[in-house]
Amino acid sequence: MKKILLASLIGLAATHAVAQEEIKFAMEATYAPFEYVDENNEIQGFDVDLANALCDVIDAKCSFHNQPFDSLIPALKFRRYDAAISGIDITEQRLQAVNFTDAYYDNSAAFVSLKDKVASQEALKGKRVGVQNGSTHQSYLTDEMVGVTAVPYASYQDAFIDMQNGRIDSVFGDTAVVAEWFKKNDNLAYVGDQVTNTEYFGNGFGIATNKDNQELVDKLNAALKTVKENGQYQQIFDKYFGE
């Protein structure tokens, strides 16, 4: 009888292990504090902690995959990954290609330059501004700032290095990411006010999925609601943005 009971318990455990869903998240992991690779070569950050919390609620296993930012949406369309969480602005243009969850982070954008380099956003005309390739920042510069040259980079790390070395005049990125640079460099200055044009920014970051995977969107939205209500979201937020 004990052997039968033990076999039944083992069978139940095995069934649960097989049934547990895996959600494969794609992200571009050079975008601290949202995602970055630590000294142990592990992907960390606000988006990672939030995704893990959502997976706990869903009873799913999370895995994270570092990909170029401009490949994230194509990868979802071809079903290489289940979702992308990488500081992705929700925009009408992107909604034509992928689905988004509810916004999980309110965002804005900012220009930064070396001190005394650029006096105002109007003074950026005729200058070179670094952006991440495939980002809403690139679209905004191209569409809205005539005379400004958008210089695309695979990562903002590369853009920041080029700005320090004088190859470009400014970098345009998300405010929270730009703020991280100020912690490590006292020779930086904001150029003008934050940008919240809702065609490009201000709608929040969302988790993107394939257009046909509304079931996953619904699960993630329900889990997001849970972690906000139980205080876990605030704990994660304070860990990265509480200062």
Side-chain angles (χ1 to χ4, degrees):
M1 186 67 178
K2 288 182 179 178
K3 290 183 179 179
I4 294 172
L5 179 60
L6 179 60
S8 298
L9 290 173
I10 292 172
L12 285 171
T15 300
H16 176 75
V18 171
Q20 189 179 36
E21 180 181 4
E22 179 183 1
I23 302 176
K24 296 179 180 178
F25 286 95
M27 53 177 47
E28 195 278 306
T30 64
Y31 208 56
F34 293 99
E35 41 269 327
Y36 58 92
V37 178
D38 67 12
E39 62 275 7
N40 298 316
N41 207 33
E42 297 288 333
I43 301 177
Q44 305 287 352
F46 176 81
D47 285 347
V48 175
D49 287 6
L50 178 60
N52 278 321
L54 300 181
C55 284
D56 285 345
V57 173
I58 296 170
D59 191 23
K61 176 185 176 183
C62 274
S63 62
F64 301 101
H65 307 269
N66 194 358
Q67 298 291 310
F69 187 82
D70 58 1
S71 76
L72 296 180
I73 288 178
L76 294 177
K77 293 174 71 173
F78 287 104
R79 300 180 181 275
R80 295 191 183 101
Y81 303 100
D82 302 302
I85 180 168
S86 194
I88 305 173
D89 290 286
I90 301 170
T91 67
E92 288 298 324
Q93 182 179 13
R94 285 175 174 159
L95 281 166
Q96 295 174 20
V98 294
N99 279 354
F100 276 103
T101 62
D102 297 335
Y104 67 85
Y105 180 87
D106 293 329
N107 65 308
S108 62
F111 290 92
V112 64
S113 71
L114 300 181
K115 284 182 178 178
D116 303 321
K117 179 75 174 181
V118 183
S120 65
Q121 288 178 19
E122 291 74 20
L124 288 168
K125 189 171 183 179
K127 297 190 183 298
R128 293 160 52 83
V129 178
V131 289
Q132 189 164 49
N133 194 39
S135 67
T136 45
H137 308 91
Q138 183 180 20
S139 298
Y140 179 82
L141 288 187
T142 302
D143 299 343
E144 304 293 334
M145 297 192 71
V146 177
V148 175
T149 300
V151 183
Y153 288 87
S155 75
Y156 271 106
Q157 288 181 347
D158 294 337
F160 184 70
I161 291 169
D162 270 8
M163 182 179 69
Q164 288 182 303
N165 291 329
R167 297 188 184 96
I168 58 175
D169 303 289
S170 174
V171 175
F172 185 41
D174 288 307
T175 303
V177 175
V178 170
E180 286 293 301
W181 303 342
F182 279 79
K183 296 177 182 178
K184 301 173 183 178
N185 191 314
D186 59 4
N187 192 36
L188 300 177
Y190 286 107
V191 179
D193 296 329
Q194 295 177 12
V195 180
T196 56
N197 185 315
T198 55
E199 185 176 346
Y200 305 89
F201 318 105
N203 300 311
F205 292 158
I207 304 171
T209 73
N210 182 280
K211 268 289 189 184
D212 295 329
N213 203 350
Q214 185 61 40
E215 180 183 0
L216 179 56
V217 172
D218 293 341
K219 287 181 180 180
L220 291 169
N221 277 337
L224 183 60
K225 183 173 185 289
T226 296
V227 299
K228 285 186 174 182
E229 289 177 347
N230 68 17
Q232 194 170 4
Y233 176 91
Q234 190 61 49
Q235 290 176 359
I236 297 169
F237 184 92
D238 290 344
K239 175 181 175 181
Y240 292 96
F241 307 110
E243 294 182 3

